[in-house]
């Protein structure tokens, strides 16, 4: 009996549950580097899992007693044991199909996120599955859950009736991934725990690991580049992005990894789909960065997302400045072979070509599905289209020696795109820009449908003009004129089309025009406003999750695998013309050394600045920051509320802390975990007015600071 049979047992008044935020340790780049070995043993032994009704929580599962309920058998007093599971890591292929069988068996009806997080469903389904699947020796379990979510969300024509049920199963997969990642987070603290979480999310896993040879032989993906055994692998974070698992990405454990990768604390060699300039001689596993041990000219710091975003912003500013100089100095320059040439235009064309190459490499690195999640992807694509049109027209002008300057007006249309793009880049966490990105996709899709449908009205009116018998009308009315009239009617600007409707046909002409006015100006605009309003309201209601999701996308795309990104425009054009052919004439070792030497030479000033800044940040410590703040002490005093901030800027002195400890012992303060309490506490009977005593509820005690005597710990049942 699956969840569909359990729906009648649920109380509609059950409230949803939310995960408690986990107080993670702060990560600084001062700790020594630790490497995580991605290799693990596989065991083909899989316990039989014939399941239709999930066993309620309680007893000992495959991984020991559940930490969430205290092991007393749950709210119903049952003491059922789970089927044994293998302790070694399970092959990815087997784990994916095991999860798929469990989720399909558990969910056979439509459920929303709130229903799946309700206390009773959480106790009957979610927690038993977490206890079954969690294995501290299997870091690929989260990847397997996200892979199943991607598959459940993929629309299939032969399963249209099951699509809503598959969406519920996808939600369950995301909830399970959140809970299991949270257990990894709680069981492994400190920097070693951060390293494990990073391995779970950003290390590559092969979905065909231990798959039958028939499955491996018919992979639909095209031939990939050699990566020394890391081909055809995907990361859990990438699957979370393409499946838009915003709850998962917004979880504290995932955000801890995203923040560490963004700041360069966690470093690794990323996996990509296609590299234009591949250099895969060395593969660096997931590790923690140590600035003191790194080279002063460390070219790997160019792919740290925080640094990479600054570099890309600098590149775009240079592109914008060259663009403004090109269009403002229009008409100035010199004539070469009968062609007017502008020096600024030459520099702009060369730099813009390198910038376009960089954008193309970013698209093919992880595919358009991932790149489209970037806020300014549609702006970059629009500029590439305008620049391509300008380049085509300008090439024709140079070949025929024309002085008409048709290309420059085309280039001027890129100004709104470039100025808007700089705003998106400077404020990537602004919810207005995030909503605009999502609304632009809906607007483009709906506009395409409208243009497709309303093109029939243009064709109908044009044919009426041809068959009207009026030679004057037939010669004066073209498809462009009809399109202009209909567009004015659509936006309510002019009624010329309605006035001239009878010229096409006394009855059919006004009928077509008025029908278009009703459909376009009333129905279509109403639908468009409703869709955009719904999209905007969804984004605003989940503002924090949307911002965290976009930041994760920016972080994932910032870690570049292609060596072409290490060459700034326009040097990437030279690298494409020189280094790429060189790769076919020398071995991988020689090419790697030559490539690294050239990258360090081209980026020497920037790498030196990055190396000195990171060493100063590590060696300076708090002293430099305090001295910097003392310099601005006067300006801080201008704040009328500065005293409130000042008393919380440092820990109280020891004598005050001792007095507070005598007044209030924090170990006696009980913090009730709402999720655990609702899942463990039985509902009071209708004839009893007594509630469950607080001492019988599983509680979580924690202390509230990082100081020496205040440490977080978990308490057992009272």
């Amino acid at each position: 009996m699956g969840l569909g049979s359990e729906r009648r047992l649920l109380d509609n008044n059950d409230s949803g549950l939310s995960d408690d935020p986990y107080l993670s340790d702060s990560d600084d780049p001062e700790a020594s580097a630790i490497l995580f070995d991605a290799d693990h043993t596989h065991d083909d032994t899989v316990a039989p899992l014939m399941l239709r009704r999930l066993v309620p929580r309680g007893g000992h599962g495959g991984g020991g007693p559940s930490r969430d309920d205290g092991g007393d058998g749950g709210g119903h007093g049952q003491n059922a044991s789970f089927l044994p599971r293998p302790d070694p890591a399970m092959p990815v292929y087997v784990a994916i199909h095991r999860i798929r069988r469990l989720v399909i068996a558990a969910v056979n009806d439509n459920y929303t996120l709130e229903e799946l997080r309700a206390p009773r469903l959480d106790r009957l389904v979610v927690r038993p599955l977490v206890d079954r699947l969690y294995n501290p020796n299997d870091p690929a379990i989260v990847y397997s859950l996200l892979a199943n979510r991607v598959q459940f969300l993929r629309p299939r024509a032969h399963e249209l009736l099951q699509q809503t049920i598959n969406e519920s199963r996808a939600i369950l997969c995301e909830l399970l991934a959140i809970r299991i990642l949270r257990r990894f987070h709680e069981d492994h603290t400190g920097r070693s725990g951060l390293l494990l979480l990073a391995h779970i999310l950003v290390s590559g896993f092969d979905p065909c690991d231990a798959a039958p040879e028939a499955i491996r032989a018919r992979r639909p993906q095209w031939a990939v580049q050699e990566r020394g055994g890391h081909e055809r692998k995907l990361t859990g974070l990438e699957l979370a992005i393409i499946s838009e698992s915003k709850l998962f990405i917004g979880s504290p454990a995932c955000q801890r990894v995203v923040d560490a990768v963004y700041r360069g604390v966690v470093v690794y060699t990323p996996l990509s789909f296609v590299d234009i300039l591949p250099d895969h001689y060395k593969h660096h596993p997931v590790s923690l960065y140590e600035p003191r041990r790194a080279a002063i000219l460390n070219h790997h710091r160019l792919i740290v997302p925080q640094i990479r975003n600054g570099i890309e912003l600098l590149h775009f500013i240079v592109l914008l400045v060259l663009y403004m100089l090109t269009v403002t100095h229009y008409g100035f320059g010199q004539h070469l072979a009968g062609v007017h040439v502008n020096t600024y235009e030459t520099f702009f064309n060369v730099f813009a070509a390198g910038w376009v190459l960089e954008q193309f490499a970013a698209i093919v690195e992880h595919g358009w599905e991932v790149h489209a999640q970037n806020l300014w992807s549609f702006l970059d694509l629009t500029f590439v289209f305008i620049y391509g049109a300008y380049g085509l027209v300008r090439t024709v002008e140079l070949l025929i020696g024309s002085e008409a300057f048709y290309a420059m007006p085309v280039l001027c249309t890129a100004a709104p795109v470039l100025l808007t793009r700089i705003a998106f880049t400077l404020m990537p966490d602004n919810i207005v820009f995030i909503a605009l990105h999502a609304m632009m996709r809906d607007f483009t899709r709906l506009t395409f449908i409208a243009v497709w449908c309303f093109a029939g009205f243009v064709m109908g009116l044009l044919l009426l003009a041809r068959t009207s018998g009026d030679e004057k009308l037939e010669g004066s009315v073209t498809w462009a004129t009809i399109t202009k009239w209909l567009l004015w009617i659509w936006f309510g600007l002019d009624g010329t089309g309605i006035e001239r409707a009878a010229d096409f046909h006394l009855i059919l002409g006004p009928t077509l025009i008025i029908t278009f006015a009703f459909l376009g100006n009333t129905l279509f605009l109403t639908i468009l406003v409703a869709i955009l309003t719904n999209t905007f309201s969804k984004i605003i209601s989940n503002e924090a999750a949307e911002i965290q999701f976009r930041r994760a996308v920016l972080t994932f795309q910032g870690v570049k695998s292609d060596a072409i990104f290490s060459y700034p425009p326009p040097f990437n054009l030279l690298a494409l013309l020189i280094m790429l052919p060189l790769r076919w004439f020398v071995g991988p070792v020689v090419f790697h050394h030559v490539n690294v030497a050239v990258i360090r030479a081209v980026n020497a000033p920037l790498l030196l600045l990055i190396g000195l800044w990171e060493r100063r940040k590590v060696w300076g410590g708090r002293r430099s920051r305090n001295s910097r703040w003392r310099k601005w002490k006067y300006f801080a005093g201008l704040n009328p509320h500065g005293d409130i901030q000042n008393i919380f800027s440092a820990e109280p002195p020891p004598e005050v802390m001792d007095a507070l400890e005598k007044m209030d012992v924090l170990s006696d303060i009980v913090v009730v975990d709402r999720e655990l309490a609702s899942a463990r506490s039985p509902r009071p009977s209708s004839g009893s007015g007594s509630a469950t005593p607080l001492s019988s509820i599983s509680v979580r005690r924690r202390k509230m600071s990082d100081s020496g005597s205040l440490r977080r710990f978990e308490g057992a049942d009272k």
Side-chain angles (χ1 to χ4, degrees):
M1 180 172 58
L3 281 186
S5 304
E6 295 290 340
R7 181 181 285 275
R8 63 180 181 272
L9 300 177
L10 301 179
D11 189 349
N12 293 331
N13 295 326
D14 289 342
S15 59
L17 299 175
S18 60
D19 293 333
D20 288 338
Y22 185 81
L23 301 178
S24 59
D25 300 333
S26 60
D27 303 310
D28 57 323
E30 299 183 15
S32 59
I34 306 174
L35 298 181
F36 197 100
D37 187 6
D39 295 330
H40 51 272
T41 59
H42 299 311
D43 192 343
D44 295 334
T45 305
V46 181
L49 294 173
M50 299 301 295
L51 172 67
R52 288 306 299 169
R53 186 185 187 281
L54 297 178
V55 183
R57 296 179 64 247
H60 298 283
S66 174
R67 196 178 20 189
D68 297 333
D69 60 359
D72 63 349
H76 297 285
Q78 299 178 1
N79 188 18
S81 299
F82 295 107
L83 296 176
R85 68 158 180 261
D87 288 334
M90 187 179 298
V92 179
Y93 176 81
V94 178
I96 289 176
H97 283 278
R98 179 195 183 198
I99 292 171
R100 179 175 177 83
R101 293 177 66 245
L102 287 172
V103 173
I104 291 177
V107 177
N108 53 17
D109 204 347
N110 302 332
Y111 288 91
T112 63
L113 174 64
E114 290 74 18
E115 290 175 333
L116 288 175
R117 299 177 71 177
R120 186 163 301 184
L121 276 183
D122 181 83
R123 181 178 67 253
L124 294 176
V125 178
V126 179
R127 292 179 180 275
L129 282 175
V130 172
D131 293 335
R132 257 179 211 275
L133 297 175
Y134 176 68
N135 184 356
N137 298 322
D138 189 2
I141 190 65
V142 175
Y143 171 89
S144 303
L145 285 165
L146 295 174
N148 275 278
R149 172 175 168 81
V150 172
Q151 181 65 18
F152 283 131
L153 290 177
R154 180 173 289 112
R156 290 177 291 276
H158 62 282
E159 294 184 2
L160 293 179
L161 299 178
Q162 296 288 326
Q163 189 60 35
T164 55
I165 300 178
N166 287 335
E167 292 176 359
S168 301
R169 292 165 177 167
I171 295 174
L172 178 60
C173 289
E174 185 178 6
L175 287 178
L176 295 176
I178 293 173
R179 298 289 181 86
I180 291 178
L181 187 66
R182 180 184 177 186
R183 285 199 177 182
F184 278 107
H185 191 194
E186 294 174 347
D187 291 346
H188 305 84
T189 59
R191 297 183 65 81
S192 60
L194 172 63
L195 197 61
L196 175 60
L197 294 178
H199 175 63
I200 293 173
L201 292 179
V202 299
S203 288
F205 297 97
D206 186 1
C208 292
D209 178 26
E213 188 60 33
I215 300 295
R216 303 177 66 90
R218 57 183 179 91
R219 286 182 168 184
Q221 186 178 354
W222 64 29
V224 295
Q225 298 167 338
E226 294 294 334
R227 295 179 180 271
H230 297 275
E231 299 85 4
R232 301 182 183 274
K233 290 185 177 181
L234 296 174
T235 65
L237 185 59
E238 182 175 358
L239 295 181
I241 290 174
I242 64 177
S243 63
E244 296 189 0
S245 303
K246 298 177 182 179
L247 286 178
F248 175 82
I249 291 179
S251 62
C254 185
Q255 282 299 306
R256 185 186 182 192
V257 176
V258 169
D259 182 69
V261 174
Y262 181 81
R263 294 186 291 111
V265 176
V266 172
V267 293
Y268 62 97
T269 297
L271 303 173
S272 62
F273 188 57
V274 175
D275 290 342
I276 296 179
L277 186 62
D279 184 8
H280 304 145
Y281 172 66
K282 289 185 178 180
H283 181 88
H284 297 276
V286 178
S287 59
L288 301 181
Y289 180 64
E290 171 51 65
R292 297 189 187 96
R293 301 179 182 178
I296 189 66
L297 297 179
N298 186 5
H299 64 285
H300 295 291
R301 304 308 286 173
L302 294 174
I303 63 173
V304 172
Q306 187 176 25
I307 299 174
R308 184 68 200 173
N309 292 339
I311 294 174
E312 291 182 351
L313 176 61
L314 180 62
H315 292 170
F316 188 79
I317 291 176
V318 173
L319 177 68
L320 181 61
V321 170
L322 290 177
Y323 171 82
M324 298 301 295
L325 291 175
T326 300
V327 296
T328 55
H329 288 78
Y330 166 72
F332 297 93
Q334 56 183 343
H335 289 269
L336 296 177
V339 179
H340 188 84
V341 179
N342 189 341
T343 304
Y344 293 113
E345 183 183 6
T346 303
F347 285 123
F348 168 76
N349 288 330
V350 174
F351 191 88
W355 188 85
V356 169
L357 174 62
E358 193 174 70
Q359 301 307 310
F360 177 74
I363 294 175
V364 301
E365 187 177 28
H366 296 291
W368 174 252
E369 191 172 4
V370 175
H371 185 77
Q373 298 292 346
N374 200 333
L375 284 183
W376 47 83
S377 58
F378 68 97
L379 294 174
D380 292 343
L381 189 63
T382 305
F383 175 76
V384 170
F385 175 77
I386 295 175
Y387 179 73
Y390 156 78
L392 180 63
V393 177
R394 186 59 172 158
T395 302
V396 174
E397 289 181 353
L398 293 176
L399 292 177
I400 66 177
S402 175
E403 291 290 343
F405 293 102
Y406 292 110
M408 193 57 62
V410 176
L411 186 62
C412 292
T413 60
V417 177
L418 293 178
L419 294 179
T420 305
R421 209 278 199 181
I422 196 70
F424 272 77
T425 307
L426 293 176
M427 294 180 288
D429 295 337
N430 192 294
I431 191 62
V432 176
F433 291 143
I434 295 176
L436 185 61
H437 173 265
M439 294 165 66
M440 185 61 67
R441 290 188 300 177
D442 295 337
F443 177 79
T444 303
R445 188 183 303 113
L446 196 59
T447 302
F448 176 77
I449 296 175
V451 171
W452 185 297
C453 297
F454 294 153
F457 287 93
V458 178
M459 180 63 67
L461 292 173
L462 187 61
L463 294 177
L464 281 179
R466 296 291 183 269
T467 58
S468 63
D470 189 349
E471 297 181 357
K472 183 179 179 180
L473 177 65
E474 184 178 351
S476 60
V477 176
T478 62
W479 67 269
T481 305
I482 297 175
T483 303
K484 179 183 66 175
W485 289 346
L486 295 183
L487 191 62
W488 286 352
I489 294 174
W490 190 0
F491 291 106
L493 302 177
D494 186 79
T496 304
I498 299 178
E499 295 176 357
R500 299 288 302 275
D503 297 342
F504 295 92
H505 192 276
L506 186 61
I507 298 176
L508 299 180
T511 302
L512 285 178
I513 294 292
I514 294 175
T515 303
F516 174 82
F518 273 107
L519 293 178
N521 201 351
T522 304
L523 181 62
F524 175 78
L525 291 181
T526 302
I527 295 175
L528 179 62
V529 171
I531 291 177
L532 297 183
T533 302
N534 184 45
T535 302
F536 185 76
S537 62
K538 287 181 179 179
I539 293 176
I540 291 298
S541 61
N542 300 304
E543 179 178 355
E546 291 288 342
I547 293 176
Q548 292 169 347
F549 177 75
R550 299 302 167 185
R551 190 165 185 264
V553 172
L554 200 63
T555 300
F556 178 75
Q557 292 182 341
V559 186
K560 304 295 186 181
S561 170
D562 198 339
I564 199 71
F565 292 103
S566 299
Y567 295 92
F571 293 100
N572 55 357
L573 296 175
L574 297 177
L576 186 64
L577 297 176
I578 299 175
M579 298 300 296
L580 186 58
L582 179 64
R583 181 174 175 269
W584 302 104
F585 295 99
V586 298
V589 179
V590 176
F591 176 78
H592 172 74
H593 290 298
V594 173
N595 185 43
V596 171
V598 175
I599 291 175
R600 290 179 176 178
V602 172
N603 300 278
L606 179 60
L607 293 177
L608 182 62
L609 183 63
I610 294 173
L612 294 177
W613 175 75
E614 289 182 339
R615 282 161 174 77
R616 181 180 182 275
K617 182 180 179 181
V618 174
W619 290 332
R622 295 183 177 272
R623 184 179 305 173
S624 61
R625 290 194 292 268
N626 293 337
S627 62
R628 185 165 61 251
W629 280 110
R630 290 194 203 101
K631 189 181 298 184
W632 299 96
K633 184 178 180 180
Y634 173 76
F635 294 96
L638 297 177
N639 186 2
H641 310 108
D643 291 342
I644 302 298
Q645 302 175 11
N646 185 41
I647 64 173
F648 292 104
S649 61
E651 292 285 345
E655 55 272 14
V656 177
M657 293 299 299
D658 293 340
L660 294 177
E661 285 285 352
K662 294 179 180 178
M663 295 180 191
D664 305 297
V665 181
L666 293 185
S667 59
D668 295 336
I669 304 299
V670 175
V671 181
V672 180
D673 191 326
R674 181 166 65 101
E675 179 181 339
L676 302 182
S678 59
R680 293 243 7 256
S681 302
R683 192 180 301 276
S685 60
S686 58
S688 173
S690 60
T692 304
L694 183 64
S695 60
S696 65
I697 297 177
S698 176
V699 299
R700 179 174 297 170
R701 297 173 179 164
R702 51 171 85 113
K703 301 205 173 177
M704 302 178 295
S705 177
D706 297 331
S707 57
S709 61
L710 301 179
R711 301 174 186 237
R712 189 187 64 81
F713 65 93
E714 303 263 347
D717 290 351
K718 297 289 286 184

